[in-house]
Amino acid sequence: MGVIKQIFEISLIGGLINLDDVPLTQTMISQPIVAAPLIGWMFGDLQAGLVIGAFFELMMVYLLPIGCSVPLDGSLAAIIATGIYLLVGSSPGGQPEALISLAILSALPSSAIAQKLSVLVREVNNRISDRAQAVVLDKTPGKIDLLHFSGIGLFFLRSFSLCLISLLIAVPLIRSVIPFLSPGLVRGLKLLYFAYLMIGIALLFDAFRSRDTYWLFALSFLLATLFSTVWPLPAWMAFGMPCVLAGAGYGIRERLRGKYGCR
Amino acid sequence: MAVDSGKSMRQNAPCLSKLDLLRVIIRSFIFQGSWNFKKMQNVGFAFSAAPALRRLYPDQKEQEAALGRHLEFYNSHPYMASFVLGAIIKMEERHSKGEDIKIEDILTFKKAMMGPMGALGDSFFWASWRPFLGALAAALALIGWKLTPIAFLLVYNIPHFYVKFFGFWQGYILERGIVEQIRKYDLFRCSAHLKSFMLIILGAMIPVVIKLECKPPSLCLNLIEKLGIVLGILIISEFFRRKITLTRLLVITSSICILLGILNILK
């Protein structure tokens, strides 16, 4: 009963957070890097939320909602994955990475379903648009506000119900499967953990690479390798120093280019 | 005579207070509430402009006409639309006062601005600013900095709120002059710089956040492993270049990893 209550709570909060994705404010509370840690923090494991959020952020941040396109819903998937991780509780073989992979894997289909449901919501919203024009002609323009809010309500219903159904199916299923996972399969899931990370980085690398800036990638990689292996620094410094140094190098080059007009 | 009385009545038309403008700005945060395929953000535009239009046109018929004309097709970037919204409100205010501005001028300006604003917003906010901060935040989260989500929200929303509030105000003050003002921001150049910084972050992220268990932990093995990871990333990015979708790649990768696990190949 306690788990059902928690599933309901996560779905309710997840549905509200997900409103920020399109219809409400768009302050990016719905981004996986915020939404997943928020759920994690509320239900007792911020660290897991941070990791799951980071994975989804890398994989989904460059799926752009441009024009009519409706991308995969990484936000809702991150919320569901965090919910699964938190509610399943025990990791297979005592490996939290394996459970994170399993949670992400289980939540990925819901990002595609959420995408389809978004399309459906927008098609229903076509009627809201027609109705808005009708209420103006009917001399009751005040109803436009109500119609607009009904679009928000519809979007919430989509997020909440998908979250609820996904968690109701996935949590008991994974709980029952975990004791039967072989050590080999746990290792496979651990490998998947790194594979997700690499796919996320590769996706962004592909989106942002250009011949002109390969050197920046190489320079920061070499510096970070240097600071994490030859002169081991704390992780935040091993990451921050190369960013600052390569950023300074880029700044100097840009200034020289501006000054001498050279390419 | 009738025209004169009409004009003098219009000159006494109500002005918009700062509170009215603030209500429009606050409503613009729900700009995409009923986003639809048919006319996209039309209801959102009318909903946002409604408090100002109701104030400007106390006459029921004029109010209905004003709301009706803003229910036409509209699609732009939800943040950058604030510039246009500000300018349109000002133009409506001038029109309601009987100044020499036609409804066609208002609608033409709205239509002309929606495309460029959409392109600019999509290119800067969606395709540069958000991915850049997203990648940075992901790296910091994986390093273990617990305040990452708060920092992400605070930094991301600086230009967002700037555009929402100040952009709207600039649109209201400058009207058509807003085009020149936006050009000064040079958002395309900012996007190009952000994309370069993005590569820096990705490069620095790999050796720090991807930690495979190496036995024994020697420098040579670590370096080879890390170069191997870079090679793996380059290969995966080649898949994306060849138009393999993320969904398909995730399915393939997951299947391979699980299959390797089931076959007990991984040691």
Side-chain angles (χ1 to χ4, degrees):
Chain A
M1 195 61 199
V3 175
I4 303 285
K5 189 184 162 217
Q6 278 186 315
I7 287 177
F8 188 80
E9 284 170 355
I10 290 175
S11 305
L12 192 68
I13 296 164
L16 289 171
I17 291 172
N18 197 242
L19 279 179
D20 176 78
D21 193 32
V22 177
L24 207 71
T25 68
Q26 293 197 303
T27 50
M28 297 302 136
I29 293 170
S30 62
Q31 278 301 99
I33 196 64
V34 183
L38 193 61
I39 294 285
W41 174 70
M42 282 175 160
F43 291 86
D45 196 342
L46 173 63
Q47 193 56 41
L50 280 170
V51 173
I52 293 170
F55 277 38
F56 274 101
E57 188 70 32
L58 287 171
M59 287 193 284
M60 307 272 180
V61 74
Y62 203 68
L63 302 177
L64 308 176
I66 290 176
C68 276
S69 76
V70 180
L72 293 171
D73 195 333
S75 157
L76 203 62
I79 291 165
I80 293 169
T82 312
I84 293 171
Y85 179 89
L86 295 169
L87 298 178
V88 167
S90 59
S91 308
Q95 304 278 356
E97 292 98 336
L99 184 56
I100 286 176
S101 299
L102 201 57
I104 293 173
L105 187 64
S106 317
L108 280 174
S110 54
S111 70
I113 298 168
Q115 181 189 29
K116 303 277 182 226
L117 287 177
S118 284
V119 172
L120 192 70
V121 166
R122 286 166 191 211
E123 275 165 4
V124 175
N125 282 351
N126 286 343
R127 289 185 198 169
I128 291 179
S129 169
D130 293 341
R131 190 85 194 96
Q133 277 173 322
V135 296
V136 170
L137 292 174
D138 288 350
K139 304 188 188 309
T140 48
K143 284 186 182 170
I144 285 180
D145 296 0
L146 199 66
L147 285 167
H148 196 54
F149 283 117
S150 67
I152 299 171
L154 202 61
F155 197 88
F156 169 77
L157 206 63
R158 156 223 179 249
S159 312
F160 169 73
S161 51
L162 183 60
C163 208
L164 188 71
I165 294 167
S166 304
L167 288 174
L168 280 174
I169 295 171
V171 172
L173 194 71
I174 295 174
R175 271 185 170 185
S176 59
V177 161
I178 278 183
F180 303 105
L181 293 182
S182 66
L185 197 54
V186 173
R187 278 197 290 273
L189 287 170
K190 255 189 104 176
L191 183 69
L192 194 55
Y193 178 88
F194 295 108
Y196 284 146
L197 199 50
M198 282 170 72
I199 288 174
I201 295 173
L203 185 70
L204 288 175
F205 179 74
D206 177 57
F208 289 92
R209 68 174 159 179
S210 70
R211 234 180 244 176
D212 205 27
T213 47
Y214 275 130
W215 69 277
L216 287 170
F217 178 78
L219 179 65
S220 62
F221 171 76
L222 288 173
L223 287 172
T225 307
L226 199 71
F227 294 136
S228 60
T229 51
V230 182
W231 302 311
L233 294 175
W236 66 272
M237 276 183 86
F239 171 72
M241 291 269 280
C243 288
V244 172
L245 291 173
Y250 175 72
I252 290 166
R253 198 187 83 137
E254 283 301 298
R255 290 206 78 166
L256 288 175
R257 276 171 86 174
K259 201 170 178 183
Y260 301 109
C262 55
R263 286 200 164 259
Chain B
M1 190 65 195
V3 172
D4 281 346
S5 65
K7 197 167 183 181
S8 64
M9 189 184 76
R10 278 178 177 267
Q11 277 165 352
N12 293 330
C15 278
L16 290 173
S17 65
K18 282 186 180 166
L19 188 67
D20 293 325
L21 297 177
L22 188 67
R23 286 174 68 192
V24 174
I25 294 172
I26 289 169
R27 278 179 170 233
S28 76
F29 278 94
I30 322 175
F31 200 73
Q32 302 205 108
S34 51
W35 202 104
N36 59 84
F37 286 126
K38 212 169 183 181
K39 294 188 174 178
M40 300 205 170
Q41 299 158 329
N42 65 332
V43 185
F45 198 98
F47 171 82
S48 305
L53 297 177
R54 282 179 192 139
R55 173 80 70 201
L56 291 173
Y57 302 106
D59 178 63
Q60 185 73 14
K61 267 193 174 173
E62 281 187 324
Q63 195 184 107
E64 283 161 17
L67 277 168
R69 64 175 164 262
H70 290 298
L71 278 172
E72 288 305 314
F73 177 89
Y74 190 79
N75 183 34
S76 190
H77 188 272
Y79 302 169
M80 298 298 281
S82 294
F83 285 107
V84 184
L85 196 58
I88 293 293
I89 297 291
K90 182 68 175 182
M91 289 165 108
E92 286 283 0
E93 189 178 22
R94 284 177 54 204
H95 174 74
S96 74
K97 283 179 182 169
E99 286 182 32
D100 188 22
I101 184 159
K102 294 176 194 157
I103 288 167
E104 291 80 50
D105 295 340
I106 299 173
L107 295 180
T108 307
F109 178 77
K110 189 178 155 188
K111 275 184 189 163
M113 290 296 283
M114 112 184 140
M117 286 295 113
L120 212 58
D122 288 343
S123 148
F124 178 73
F125 282 104
W126 288 172
S128 306
W129 183 235
R130 195 173 68 173
F132 166 74
L133 279 183
L136 182 62
L140 293 173
L142 290 170
I143 287 169
W145 192 41
K146 289 179 179 168
L147 294 176
T148 301
I150 295 169
F152 172 84
L153 278 180
L154 288 176
V155 178
Y156 178 86
N157 283 303
I158 292 169
H160 172 203
F161 279 79
Y162 178 87
V163 167
K164 278 281 184 196
F165 286 90
F166 199 65
F168 176 87
W169 183 248
Q170 280 190 323
Y172 183 75
I173 298 292
L174 299 170
E175 240 180 88
R176 288 189 179 97
I178 198 67
V179 180
E180 270 307 307
Q181 185 62 36
I182 292 170
R183 197 176 289 164
K184 281 182 197 162
Y185 291 136
D186 206 355
L187 289 180
F188 282 120
R189 197 157 158 246
C190 290
S191 298
H193 289 317
L194 284 175
K195 285 174 182 176
S196 301
F197 282 118
M198 176 70 143
L199 283 179
I200 294 174
I201 287 168
L202 292 178
M205 185 186 202
I206 297 166
V208 181
V209 302
I210 303 181
K211 287 174 194 152
L212 293 175
E213 289 163 17
C214 48
K215 305 156 201 155
S218 66
L219 163 66
C220 187
L221 191 64
N222 260 341
L223 203 60
I224 289 169
E225 271 182 357
K226 280 168 184 174
L227 286 172
I229 288 163
V230 170
L231 191 67
I233 286 168
L234 292 178
I235 291 168
I236 297 169
S237 72
E238 249 344 282
F239 283 126
F240 287 125
R241 184 146 285 198
R242 283 166 207 278
K243 306 290 174 213
I244 291 183
T245 59
L246 174 67
T247 317
R248 197 170 289 177
L249 194 65
L250 284 171
V251 170
I252 294 168
T253 315
S254 307
S255 309
I256 291 172
C257 289
I258 288 171
L259 201 68
L260 287 174
I262 290 171
L263 297 175
N264 219 5
I265 291 171
L266 300 167
K267 294 284 170 198

